[in-house]
Amino acid sequence: MNYSEIMVRYGELSTKGKNRQAFIGRLHGNITKALHEFPALTIRPKRDRLHIELNGEDSTAVMARLSKVFGIQSYSPSVKVAKEMAAVHEAALALMNETVPEGSSYKVYTRRSDHTFELDTNEMNLNLGDFFVDHRPDLKVQMRQPDFTLRVEVRREAIYLSTQTILGAGGMPVGTAGKAMLMLSGGIDSPVAGYYALKRGVDIEMVHFFSPPYTSDSALNKAKQLTTKLAPYAGYIKFIQVPFTEIQETIKATVPEGYLMTVQRRLMLRLTAALAEKRGGLAIVNGESIGQVASQTLESMVAINDVTTMPIIRPVATMDKTEIIKVAEDIDTYALSIMPFEDCCTIFAPPSPKTKPNLDKSRYFESKLDVAGLMERALAGVKITEIKSSDEFMNQDQDLITELL
Ligand code: ATP
Ligand code: MG
């Protein structure tokens, strides 16, 4: 179908009162960013709808990008026609013939912002109903839950027709909820946590700890590739890699085995909080799920969370692994996540970490370290890159990556 525009309905932001302008402004910016590969588009944000005029761009390709922009309730590819009934009939028939199969039920639903038009909404509904009795006798009119609704919008400049309403990604425009740091490992859970944070409008920056030479370039690249999968939801994402080798070696040499994991996690969290403070992050997001492993019992959370008062958001805390995997598959991170590259945590993981670490002991063992010095050196070695969805991260194991995918 040769559509003229995509009509976009706002999500939850419609109810946000005086923040409305800010929400629409941010959504407009995010949509513009997401559609930057289509230069002919004209994007017009209005009070209760946003209109994307296609000007010849491919509607299917545009809608594929649009489906990943948070803050959109639904969207409809629409045909623009002149405000005369002969033109409306012709275009409506072509649209119905192409999109509504024989024997379907349907109704006509008209909205009118131009009240000077010759037909009011009722008359328009009846007029088109009569027209289809003659031209599509196979269709049957059904007011409640029809298979299709022919939507007619009478606006000042033209009349718009659509038969499809496609559900958008929901949520709120990324950036409207401020910024947080996502602790991104190479695993299954943290990318899913990042997806949910973005969905609520939180702009995220990735914080990834790596430990060369114990972890390889491939492990680092895997985290970067996971970031490319989330980038379409955010435009681009900053990736902050933090060298963690010295800290892990020092902890290994100083702390009793049962507390290795707890103290490592405390240092990770301290560093993430420090980065957040430095970079205007208001919270920390991680992929912890209650009881999944030793470091994720409530007792462990108490012993680790102790190092910061910054809010820690745990979007997948109450989800089962199977539920998390389902989302990971939907957002296309699962295949990458299960690739078997060593993680900085598993390498230094003791065979039997304490599932119920004691808070005072955790503090005591940590106090044996030069925490300030270790942190200062790790932060001095931080490297920040900006990642977008089309980026690729090649390395000597690229063949393996491709093969495994
Ligand atoms: P994931 O699947 O996200 O790796 P997991 O079930 O393997 O989670 P852990 O390894 O215990 O769980 O990690 C818990 C959380 O700690 C992760 O979800 C992530 O937010 C954070 N984390 C773990 N390792 C790293 C790392 N190398 N860099 C940054 N954050 C990390
Ligand atoms: Mg992990």
Side-chain angles (χ1 to χ4, degrees):
M1 192 70 209
N2 203 4
Y3 290 110
S4 5
E5 74 158 58
I6 314 290
M7 196 182 66
V8 175
R9 296 174 194 84
Y10 300 136
E12 236 174 90
L13 60 84
S14 300
T15 62
K16 290 283 194 255
K18 65 177 191 251
N19 288 334
R20 190 186 189 102
Q21 262 331 102
F23 278 55
I24 294 174
R26 177 69 71 159
L27 183 61
H28 181 198
N30 291 353
I31 288 177
T32 306
K33 241 192 288 175
L35 300 180
H36 71 271
E37 289 156 279
F38 308 96
L41 301 177
T42 315
I43 303 174
R44 294 187 201 286
K46 298 278 169 61
R47 210 189 120 71
D48 61 347
R49 298 288 167 83
L50 179 144
H51 304 277
I52 302 170
E53 289 170 21
L54 289 164
N55 302 318
E57 299 282 10
D58 176 40
S59 58
T60 310
V62 169
M63 289 192 288
R65 287 297 150 87
L66 212 54
S67 69
K68 292 189 171 168
V69 177
F70 290 121
I72 296 178
Q73 183 67 45
S74 64
Y75 49 93
S76 297
S78 310
V79 182
K80 179 181 184 177
V81 287
K83 289 165 80 173
E84 40 188 69
M85 289 314 291
V88 172
H89 286 162
E90 187 188 335
L93 184 60
L95 179 62
M96 294 288 278
N97 283 346
E98 186 158 326
T99 56
V100 179
E102 213 178 307
S104 307
S105 62
Y106 87 109
K107 74 174 174 189
V108 183
Y109 178 78
T110 305
R111 276 169 48 120
R112 198 166 72 133
S113 54
D114 173 11
H115 295 277
T116 66
F117 188 67
E118 57 195 22
L119 301 182
D120 68 16
T121 55
N122 238 338
E123 291 165 342
M124 179 65 97
N125 293 343
L126 291 172
N127 180 302
L128 282 166
D130 285 346
F131 174 79
F132 285 118
V133 169
D134 295 335
H135 292 83
R136 281 291 299 266
D138 60 295
L139 300 179
K140 71 173 189 296
V141 174
Q142 184 176 314
M143 288 303 142
R144 290 180 58 144
Q145 299 186 320
D147 300 330
F148 290 88
T149 298
L150 171 62
R151 290 175 195 277
V152 182
E153 288 217 8
V154 182
R155 298 214 294 266
R156 194 177 44 76
E157 74 284 3
I159 290 176
Y160 293 82
L161 307 172
S162 63
T163 52
Q164 279 173 285
T165 297
I166 300 156
L167 273 191
M172 307 213 274
V174 173
T176 51
K179 183 162 90 178
M181 315 313 261
L182 172 68
M183 298 178 70
L184 179 75
S185 65
I188 297 167
D189 306 318
S190 44
V192 172
Y195 166 81
Y196 280 121
L198 288 164
K199 185 168 186 187
R200 293 309 295 169
V202 179
D203 200 3
I204 54 172
E205 292 188 350
M206 305 308 200
V207 177
H208 176 73
F209 296 92
F210 71 122
S211 297
Y214 305 106
T215 61
S216 65
D217 270 2
S218 303
L220 182 63
N221 280 334
K222 177 180 169 186
K224 290 183 177 174
Q225 273 177 312
L226 284 168
T227 303
T228 68
K229 297 289 183 186
L230 290 179
Y233 299 97
Y236 62 82
I237 297 179
K238 293 227 169 72
F239 183 92
I240 305 170
Q241 58 194 68
V242 188
F244 205 54
T245 313
E246 188 201 353
I247 292 178
Q248 284 191 304
E249 287 176 336
T250 311
I251 291 173
K252 176 104 181 163
T254 318
V255 173
E257 201 169 271
Y259 279 83
L260 278 180
M261 188 266 308
T262 309
V263 176
Q264 279 180 49
R265 292 300 163 115
R266 284 172 65 99
L267 265 294
M268 274 193 185
L269 192 55
R270 281 186 189 281
L271 286 163
T272 308
L275 285 164
E277 261 157 45
K278 213 152 98 177
R279 304 178 56 79
L282 301 173
I284 293 166
V285 181
N286 70 23
E288 288 174 341
S289 171
I290 299 169
Q292 199 186 84
V293 291
S295 61
Q296 299 175 21
T297 61
L298 292 180
E299 289 83 356
S300 272
M301 284 186 199
V302 169
I304 296 165
N305 212 152
D306 176 53
V307 301
T308 182
T309 56
M310 192 169 266
I312 301 182
I313 313 291
R314 299 177 174 88
V316 303
T318 59
M319 290 169 73
D320 292 348
K321 194 75 187 186
T322 50
E323 295 170 321
I324 301 172
I325 287 174
K326 167 96 184 36
V327 180
E329 284 170 340
D330 288 346
I331 62 172
D332 196 30
T333 54
Y334 184 68
L336 269 170
S337 289
I338 59 173
M339 288 188 334
F341 297 127
E342 66 300 312
D343 183 289
C344 72
C345 304
T346 41
I347 279 190
F348 284 87
S352 54
K354 283 225 177 315
T355 54
K356 296 184 177 180
N358 172 283
L359 177 58
D360 290 328
K361 285 186 186 163
S362 307
R363 287 176 178 167
Y364 171 75
F365 292 129
E366 189 194 60
S367 74
K368 301 282 171 197
L369 307 169
D370 169 22
V371 171
L374 287 169
M375 283 181 63
E376 198 181 300
R377 288 187 294 280
L379 290 172
V382 155
K383 199 178 140 203
I384 303 177
T385 44
E386 213 170 80
I387 293 181
K388 55 182 186 309
S389 59
S390 54
D391 286 343
E392 282 173 38
F393 296 96
M394 308 289 280
N395 54 60
Q396 71 273 23
D397 291 329
Q398 187 63 36
D399 287 346
L400 177 61
I401 292 178
T402 319
E403 199 179 299
L404 286 163
L405 289 176

